[in-house]
Amino acid sequence: MLFGYEWVTGQGDLAFAASILPMLLLGLVVTIQATVAGFFIAVILGLIFAALRQSRFRVVRYVTGFVVEFLRDTPLLVQLFFLYYVLPEFGIVLPAFMTGALALGVQYSAYTSQVYRAGIEAVPPGQREAARALDLTERRTFTHVILPQAIPRIIPALGNYAVSIMKDVPILSVVTVLEVLNVAKIIGDQTFNYLVPFTMVGALYLVLTLIASYLVRLLDRALPKTGLPLR
Amino acid sequence: MSEPIIRFDKVVKRFGALTVLDRLDFTVQPGEKVSIIGPSGSGKSTVLRILMTLEPIQEGTIWVDGHPLWHEERDGRLVPASEAHLREMRKLLGMVFQQFNLFPHMTVLRNITEAPIAVLGMSKQEARERAMELLELVGLADQADKFPHQLSGGQQQRVGIARALAMRPKIMLFDEPTSALDPELVGEVLTVIGKLAHEHDLTMLLVTHEMRFAREVSDRVCFFDQGRMVEEGPPDQLFTEPREARTREFLKAVLAPQE
Ligand SMILES: Nc1ncnc2c1ncn2[C@@H]1O[C@H](COP(=O)(O)OP(=O)(O)OP(=O)(O)O)[C@@H](O)[C@H]1O
Ligand SMILES: [Mg+2]
């Protein structure tokens, strides 16, 4: 029994599969929650990193660059263990779900900060020069000239990372988060049938990823390539 | 003669080890129309980009409308200019780019009204009226609500001219305004620039490969080579009887295929 649902064994795989589907779907909800939370952290933290890398102070730029490089070059699992086992030693005890979302967010912030940077740098230098020649302030240039042109490049790239985050969520099972793979494993441990739950997890992931990728593509196509229009 | 509106005083511009302008002296009188010609890499664009404050200088002084451009006077000494000073000085100048550099996400109208509203503090209504007058001038009044990518290159460049004029500069800088255009679109842009050349008060600096046009519109032509002004003079003199061998060589090379 799990989440108040009973599994049905001895009546064939189909009946078994049908009986565990509600449990897996509950696990899938946790997967999606972790994806959303991790993505949210990655989007915000990445923006902060990107801003710090533009700082006037060289020390800030270097330290940020080092941190981002460090986050990108160390495995997610190492970061996860670090947050889960080391933070409590400093008196910071977070629920497993929060720790997992944080680890995902922190790791992916290294990638999203890169997305912001690339999106901004892809705006041709002539745009900045024209803005300067027209005497627009730095701030106005950024908000009205650079950002509207960078955003249509940034958003689809962020969307792709959201899909990646979703596929990394199962790693959180090692710190007891009850996302969909962990649920499937518990079912397998209890019923000695791993094939059916794991196959179902694979299928659920396939469906989810296809839908998410399709949405990202739609979004990409909906965004005007020349920038968010200003009339 | 009146006080020059632009004066380069022994200006040195380097990119790393490469000296692009070598102790350049150069003056322009108010209302004067000056064309700059010369081979690729001779520093023509650099002169305009320095004036538009897109590139700093390493040595020397530039005076624009009586004020140092890249310096500020403090306690009788010249110190490097603050951003605030550069902002003030930029108001005197407008620039038209070879690649147009229109804002692709803004309508034609918005391209023209953006800076007058944001920088000069014009009301929307006033900026709009002024923009429509300028679009009338460049022959694009019916294209105000289009986006740049919906226009031809020649039309885009005419918008670029209107956009620069909207800031009411005393000095207009044109950096090869027709070089990126298909040959059949060059004429419409030159017509607009020619029209501006009749404006008595407007000072114009034009970098161009259109020798015939340069000869028609300019009061003076300057020939640049390797970061130096080799020769300057009235167009009729410079084009027909250049004094310097280097100028003759250049003119022969560029005029031969056209004639
Ligand atoms: N940002 C830069 N960094 C390094 N070198 C530069 C830069 N901009 C220009 N240069 C060099 O400075 C020299 C003068 O360039 P400039 O663009 O002023 O030439 P130009 O006379 O306008 O040539 P063209 O007719 O090709 O436009 C060239 O040798 C060029 O390679
Ligand atoms: Mg040039």
Side-chain angles (χ1 to χ4, degrees):
Chain A
M1 189 175 125
L2 193 64
F3 305 134
Y5 292 98
E6 286 290 349
W7 40 73
V8 178
T9 47
Q11 296 177 25
D13 281 347
L14 220 55
F16 178 59
S19 70
I20 63 172
L21 186 62
M23 307 170 205
L24 291 176
L25 287 179
L26 282 172
L28 202 64
V29 170
V30 175
T31 299
I32 292 170
Q33 285 170 339
T35 304
V36 170
F39 183 62
F40 183 76
I41 295 169
V43 163
I44 303 292
L45 196 58
L47 194 59
I48 294 171
F49 282 147
L52 289 178
R53 286 185 99 162
Q54 305 275 317
S55 164
R56 226 174 322 169
F57 305 105
R58 189 186 302 201
V59 189
V60 177
R61 289 201 304 268
Y62 281 175
V63 170
T64 314
F66 176 78
V67 169
V68 168
E69 198 58 43
F70 177 81
L71 291 177
R72 202 188 4 231
D73 294 342
T74 47
L76 176 58
L77 195 54
V78 174
Q79 290 170 24
L80 183 62
F81 274 14
F82 191 88
L83 291 177
Y84 194 69
Y85 294 109
V86 179
L87 279 192
E89 288 182 20
F90 294 93
I92 305 168
V93 184
L94 295 174
F97 177 84
M98 294 284 277
T99 312
L102 193 62
L104 284 170
V106 166
Q107 162 117 89
Y108 274 90
S109 68
Y111 296 108
T112 55
S113 77
Q114 213 40 47
V115 167
Y116 294 119
R117 209 163 87 143
I120 286 165
E121 281 173 3
V123 178
Q127 292 291 305
R128 247 176 236 281
E129 292 182 353
R132 197 165 150 93
L134 291 168
D135 221 3
L136 297 179
T137 58
E138 298 261 330
R139 168 174 245 145
R140 181 94 182 177
T141 301
F142 189 71
T143 57
H144 282 67
V145 177
I146 306 298
L147 265 194
Q149 296 184 62
I151 285 172
R153 303 170 213 261
I154 290 172
I155 288 181
L158 288 181
N160 287 329
Y161 279 121
V163 177
S164 297
I165 290 178
M166 192 169 72
K167 288 196 281 187
D168 272 351
V169 169
I171 293 184
L172 307 195
S173 62
V174 300
V175 295
T176 74
V177 174
L178 282 175
E179 50 65 55
V180 67
L181 183 69
N182 205 2
V183 170
K185 182 174 171 297
I186 291 171
I187 295 170
D189 289 345
Q190 306 270 331
T191 61
F192 305 108
N193 184 343
Y194 289 101
L195 176 69
V196 172
F198 283 168
T199 308
M200 287 173 75
V201 169
L204 286 173
Y205 251 107
L206 183 68
V207 171
L208 213 55
T209 309
L210 284 177
I211 293 173
S213 302
Y214 178 69
L215 290 178
V216 171
R217 247 202 328 271
L218 277 190
L219 197 63
D220 190 13
R221 232 175 292 159
L223 289 165
K225 287 291 148 296
T226 52
L228 305 180
L230 291 180
R231 293 205 163 264
Chain B
M1 230 186 232
S2 54
E3 179 77 2
I5 193 163
I6 298 171
R7 186 156 67 86
F8 279 56
D9 184 11
K10 300 195 174 47
V11 171
V12 175
K13 168 70 193 174
R14 290 188 211 97
F15 288 110
L18 177 73
T19 302
V20 176
L21 297 181
D22 187 10
R23 296 172 67 80
L24 176 69
D25 291 323
F26 174 56
T27 56
V28 178
Q29 298 301 321
E32 204 181 3
K33 320 290 184 258
V34 177
S35 290
I36 299 177
I37 60 172
S40 184
S42 56
K44 309 181 296 293
S45 297
T46 304
V47 168
L48 298 198
R49 291 172 56 80
I50 286 172
L51 277 169
M52 198 61 256
T53 72
L54 301 177
E55 290 287 352
I57 58 175
Q58 274 72 47
E59 287 171 37
T61 325
I62 296 170
W63 301 82
V64 174
D65 205 25
H67 306 281
L69 179 66
W70 279 104
H71 300 84
E72 265 173 282
E73 279 167 298
R74 202 168 296 151
D75 310 325
R77 282 178 44 222
L78 289 182
V79 297
S82 63
E83 182 59 28
H85 175 75
L86 292 176
R87 284 184 59 80
E88 272 315 301
M89 294 304 290
R90 255 179 238 137
K91 294 208 170 85
L92 296 165
L93 300 137
M95 184 154 178
V96 174
F97 299 88
Q98 184 174 352
Q99 302 294 339
F100 327 139
N101 295 354
L102 295 183
F103 302 129
H105 58 299
M106 296 185 190
T107 59
V108 164
L109 188 72
R110 179 79 190 243
N111 261 281
I112 302 173
T113 58
E114 172 70 16
I117 293 171
V119 180
L120 303 181
M122 254 188 220
S123 74
K124 259 194 178 149
Q125 179 64 25
E126 191 189 353
R128 212 170 265 261
E129 282 166 16
R130 170 100 179 113
M132 288 313 295
E133 282 170 29
L134 288 167
L135 282 174
E136 199 78 51
L137 175 80
V138 300
L140 292 171
D142 51 340
Q143 310 288 327
D145 294 323
K146 295 238 174 102
F147 283 89
H149 65 91
Q150 297 170 306
L151 304 181
S152 75
Q155 291 173 319
Q156 289 188 48
Q157 190 57 298
R158 288 187 276 154
V159 175
I161 295 171
R163 181 176 69 170
L165 287 172
M167 295 298 281
R168 301 176 187 276
K170 286 190 175 181
I171 304 164
M172 279 285 280
L173 310 171
F174 297 87
D175 190 4
E176 300 198 27
T178 58
S179 293
L181 298 177
D182 292 335
E184 73 271 18
L185 300 177
V186 168
E188 62 189 60
V189 173
L190 292 185
T191 305
V192 168
I193 299 174
K195 239 197 271 185
L196 290 179
H198 293 302
E199 296 234 359
H200 186 73
D201 292 337
L202 190 66
T203 305
M204 280 175 36
L205 247 65
L206 170 71
V207 172
T208 187
H209 292 298
E210 300 286 336
M211 297 301 156
R212 190 172 309 166
F213 182 71
R215 189 166 176 174
E216 269 167 40
V217 299
S218 19
D219 303 312
R220 180 158 55 103
V221 179
C222 302
F223 172 64
F224 274 69
D225 191 27
Q226 299 187 345
R228 291 164 185 274
M229 191 160 65
V230 173
E231 180 168 358
E232 59 177 321
D236 285 335
Q237 178 259 311
L238 192 128
F239 282 116
T240 53
E241 36 186 341
R243 280 185 298 267
E244 303 290 331
R246 190 67 195 90
T247 316
R248 261 196 301 278
E249 238 172 84
F250 172 76
L251 288 175
K252 209 164 98 188
V254 294
L255 292 178
Q258 291 177 6
E259 305 298 301

